[in-house]
Amino acid sequence: MLLIVVVLTFLLLQSASGDAVDAYLLSMGGGDAAIAQSLRQSYGLDQSEIARLWLYLSSLARLDLGWSVAFGRPVADLILERLPNTLLLMGSATALAFGLGTSLGIVAGARPESTTDKVVSALSLILYAIPSFWLGLVLSIVFAVQLRWLPSSGIETIASGKSGFARAADIALHLILPVGALGVIYMALFLRVMRSAMAEVWKLDFVAFARAKGLSRSRIVLRHVARNALLPLVTMLGLQSAAMLGGSVVIESIFAIPGFGRLAQEAVTGRDTPLLIGIILTSALLVVLVNLLLDLVYALLDPRVGAAEEGA
Amino acid sequence: MTLLRQTIGTGEGAIGAAILSLLILIAVFASVLCPGDPLNIAGPPLTPPFTQGSLPLGTDSLGRDLLAGVVHGTRTSLSVGLAAAAAAMAFGVCIGLAAGFSGGIVDEALMRLVDAFQIVPGFLLALAFVSVAGSSAHVIVIAIALGAWAGPARLMRAQVLSIREREYVAAARVIGAGPAEIVFKEILPNALPPVLSLSAIIVAAAILTESALSFLGLSDPNVVTWGSMMSEGRNVLRSATWLSIFPGLALLTTVIGIYLLGEGVTKAIGRGRPGS
């Protein structure tokens, strides 16, 4: 499946008019055709598309992602260097979204159609509709420009010489705004899914049974309804991981975080095909890994999944 | 028609329909409301909003009328969003229909293709495609549709798989209906409604993607978009916050309108069904 992704993106990006050499020469203020030709030859850009595709795939088999023309460095190095920042951003945003989203969802879903439910639902609809990059701008206007409480760009203070705990605190401070901007939309989404899943679970027989047993309301809500409503949320998390990775491109651009998404944007401006293919491949790999991990979590939450597979 | 009336009967549907009708009117009559090219200079640069009667929302750093930009941006956002969503739905439905009805190796191949498109972040794909093919309006529509067709395709296939085993399809086959007739007369009309219910989310996502792309500078430079307005406003964020606030509010209103209408339709369909 990842192979399909590689071949498709390769063919898509090869259909480009103008390649990295054009962009490179343009950035140097132009050059003559002979230089362009020799550069193309050294990067293998003068060969036919099929030959290049084969060349790319065979080097990929050796885990070699190629050479970035715009940066003058191996693609794999660049990606590995930028990936941790993005994973940190996405991980924190997911944690925020999942934690707050499920708790608020439980609050709203505990008493369907109550006033609390209606207020929380309306609020979540508005939050869900906010474009993340606009929220990022507004947050940085309020907290970084007006109040000056939080830094508006970067992942840490440059050349601060901090290490250990002080550096971690510094990074955390820099991450508050971007994580907020990225996480709020998903928080609203998880809230809505959790609420509607709980509304479905309330109708099931075992809830009526738990009630008939005389269990307290909070115990029914937490142990019976919420626990079962978590299942669709885990599926949702996997589906959203691709969208979140896409969203981090814009957020990283706003907050000037040197991450994976910014790398994608730089690859786009530099017409850097090997880098762009490498990025798309890595992100696809990441999404597959996240979903694999969530399948394991799913089996833990719902014993029926594992049992069914053993039976088959 | 009854569905429309039922939709407006729900609170969400009424508000959503009102917001969207207003926006569509603004988009259609943009040239009447704010005549002339919105990219023309209309007054002194960085005029704050609500200070001059002729420039109610002020001007940007080049002295262009912000209100005209927002009004004309409505046209871009809605047309690109709707076109991309329509393209994604049409393509997704065709692929899903083909996969579900053919089965076997065609199904297998098409579904692997769907998988491949679902694991690549749609926004990255759109970014790559626009950077390769240039940033004209139809390229942007295709780029957004590329990342959005896989969902409808998957749902369509699931629908077709469940419907093709129903008795009325078997009955049609018995009375000698050809495969084309079965697909278009029996399966398609019955499989479509749940897939169409995705359209609110897809249109909203398409509008958001379009503005995010133009925010990153990947849009037709001769057309005003909310995203490019916000991105220009970002350069003067400290002195002229309103430049990024107003286009963002317009975008927010649009997306809320679409979601509300979508919820209204879902509720109306739910009420229409007996027993729920």
Side-chain angles (χ1 to χ4, degrees):
Chain A
M1 199 158 71
L2 287 170
L3 191 70
I4 304 178
V5 173
V6 179
V7 174
L8 276 180
T9 44
F10 195 88
L11 293 179
L12 177 79
L13 296 182
Q14 289 310 332
S15 56
S17 56
D19 54 20
V21 172
D22 287 334
Y24 182 63
L25 287 179
L26 206 65
S27 71
M28 295 195 315
D32 63 47
I35 296 179
Q37 192 54 42
S38 71
L39 273 172
R40 285 213 173 85
Q41 211 156 16
S42 67
Y43 291 120
L45 286 172
D46 56 344
Q47 293 169 30
S48 77
E49 283 183 12
I50 304 294
R52 273 149 60 192
L53 177 59
W54 176 247
L55 206 67
Y56 187 77
L57 287 180
S58 54
S59 62
L60 193 65
R62 298 191 303 268
L63 293 179
D64 178 6
L65 286 175
W67 186 266
S68 157
V69 181
F71 286 86
R73 292 176 57 194
V75 169
D77 283 12
L78 282 167
I79 289 178
L80 285 179
E81 183 183 291
R82 300 289 193 94
L83 202 53
N85 285 340
T86 299
L87 288 182
L88 192 63
L89 173 66
M90 277 179 62
S92 328
T94 311
L96 172 87
F98 198 79
L100 262 179
T102 41
S103 348
L104 284 175
I106 291 173
V107 170
R111 289 175 191 276
E113 300 298 317
S114 65
T115 322
T116 332
D117 179 27
K118 282 185 177 147
V119 169
V120 173
S121 299
L123 199 69
S124 76
L125 184 76
I126 295 174
L127 290 181
Y128 185 42
I130 295 181
S132 61
F133 55 100
W134 185 66
L135 183 64
L137 281 180
V138 172
L139 285 178
S140 69
I141 290 173
V142 174
F143 291 103
V145 177
Q146 303 285 343
L147 296 172
R148 293 176 188 280
W149 284 352
L150 294 165
S152 67
S153 66
I155 182 88
E156 56 181 321
T157 313
I158 297 163
S160 61
K162 286 176 185 162
S163 62
F165 185 72
R167 182 162 177 246
D170 188 40
I171 292 177
L173 206 62
H174 278 82
L175 272 179
I176 293 177
L177 290 183
V179 165
L182 187 60
V184 158
I185 288 106
Y186 296 97
M187 183 204 86
L189 179 69
F190 290 144
L191 196 166
R192 297 177 70 74
V193 175
M194 185 74 189
R195 197 198 84 79
S196 58
M198 280 181 76
E200 287 299 312
V201 177
W202 273 117
K203 294 180 194 151
L204 297 180
D205 289 343
F206 70 86
V207 177
F209 178 69
R211 233 185 232 160
K213 272 201 300 191
L215 294 181
S216 71
R217 191 176 175 87
S218 61
R219 196 176 159 82
I220 296 177
V221 167
L222 288 178
R223 300 259 325 170
H224 294 263
V225 181
R227 192 169 167 208
N228 282 285
L230 264 175
L231 291 174
L233 217 63
V234 173
T235 317
M236 199 75 201
L237 201 60
L239 290 175
Q240 289 303 321
S241 58
M244 207 179 218
L245 204 54
S248 69
V249 176
V250 195
I251 294 294
E252 284 173 14
S253 152
I254 292 174
F255 291 101
I257 295 172
F260 195 65
R262 275 258 295 202
L263 194 64
Q265 208 200 338
E266 285 156 6
V268 166
T269 26
R271 280 294 173 91
D272 201 335
T273 316
L275 185 55
L276 211 49
I277 300 177
I279 287 170
I280 291 181
L281 180 65
T282 316
S283 55
L285 191 69
L286 209 63
V287 173
V288 170
L289 281 179
V290 167
N291 279 291
L292 218 68
L293 210 69
L294 286 174
D295 277 350
L296 294 177
V297 174
Y298 205 96
L300 276 180
L301 278 175
D302 189 352
R304 282 171 303 181
V305 175
E309 273 165 10
E310 275 161 29
Chain B
M1 238 34 237
T2 41
L3 180 64
L4 187 67
R5 206 176 304 129
Q6 279 174 338
T7 304
I8 293 175
T10 63
E12 290 98 338
I15 303 172
I19 294 176
L20 279 186
S21 333
L22 186 68
L23 286 169
I24 290 172
L25 284 179
I26 291 177
V28 170
F29 294 106
S31 320
V32 181
L33 290 169
C34 299
D37 189 345
L39 294 172
N40 282 345
I41 290 170
L46 296 178
T47 310
F50 315 119
T51 51
Q52 271 190 16
S54 60
L55 300 164
L57 295 185
T59 59
D60 69 2
S61 50
L62 292 175
R64 294 176 295 200
D65 185 0
L66 197 67
L67 179 68
V70 172
V71 165
H72 284 262
T74 314
R75 182 181 275 184
T76 324
S77 269
L78 287 185
S79 56
V80 170
L82 288 174
M89 288 300 254
F91 190 61
V93 163
C94 290
I95 295 287
L97 199 60
F101 191 70
S102 332
I105 190 151
V106 178
D107 182 25
E108 193 63 24
L110 287 176
M111 288 327 281
R112 290 295 81 76
L113 193 68
V114 170
D115 286 342
F117 271 91
Q118 271 194 322
I119 57 172
V120 174
F123 188 70
L124 275 181
L125 200 63
L127 204 66
F129 188 75
V130 174
S131 83
V132 160
S135 50
S136 62
H138 64 272
V139 169
I140 290 174
V141 168
I142 298 172
I144 298 172
L146 267 182
W149 66 273
R154 191 173 285 276
L155 185 60
M156 188 68 195
R157 174 178 173 270
Q159 283 289 314
V160 172
L161 283 184
S162 87
I163 286 175
R164 58 182 273 192
E165 304 303 331
R166 302 266 170 90
E167 278 165 10
Y168 58 82
V169 176
R173 203 168 281 144
V174 166
I175 58 167
E181 207 176 328
I182 291 177
V183 169
F184 291 107
K185 278 199 161 155
E186 307 293 336
I187 296 183
L188 189 62
N190 291 302
L192 215 47
V195 183
L196 286 182
S197 69
L198 283 178
S199 46
I201 300 172
I202 291 184
V203 172
I207 290 180
L208 285 174
T209 310
E210 188 274 329
S211 54
L213 280 176
S214 53
F215 184 78
L216 291 181
L218 294 167
S219 67
D220 191 342
N222 301 315
V223 178
V224 199
T225 65
W226 291 334
S228 61
M229 292 171 73
M230 278 185 257
S231 143
E232 279 161 25
R234 199 180 138 197
N235 299 326
V236 283
L237 198 56
R238 276 165 209 275
S239 52
T241 45
W242 70 89
L243 289 180
S244 353
I245 299 277
F246 286 120
L249 282 178
L251 185 56
L252 179 64
T253 318
T254 312
V255 177
I256 289 183
I258 295 170
Y259 283 150
L260 284 173
L261 189 65
E263 293 234 321
V265 172
T266 314
K267 267 196 185 173
I269 292 175
R271 270 185 209 168
R273 273 193 206 135
S276 65

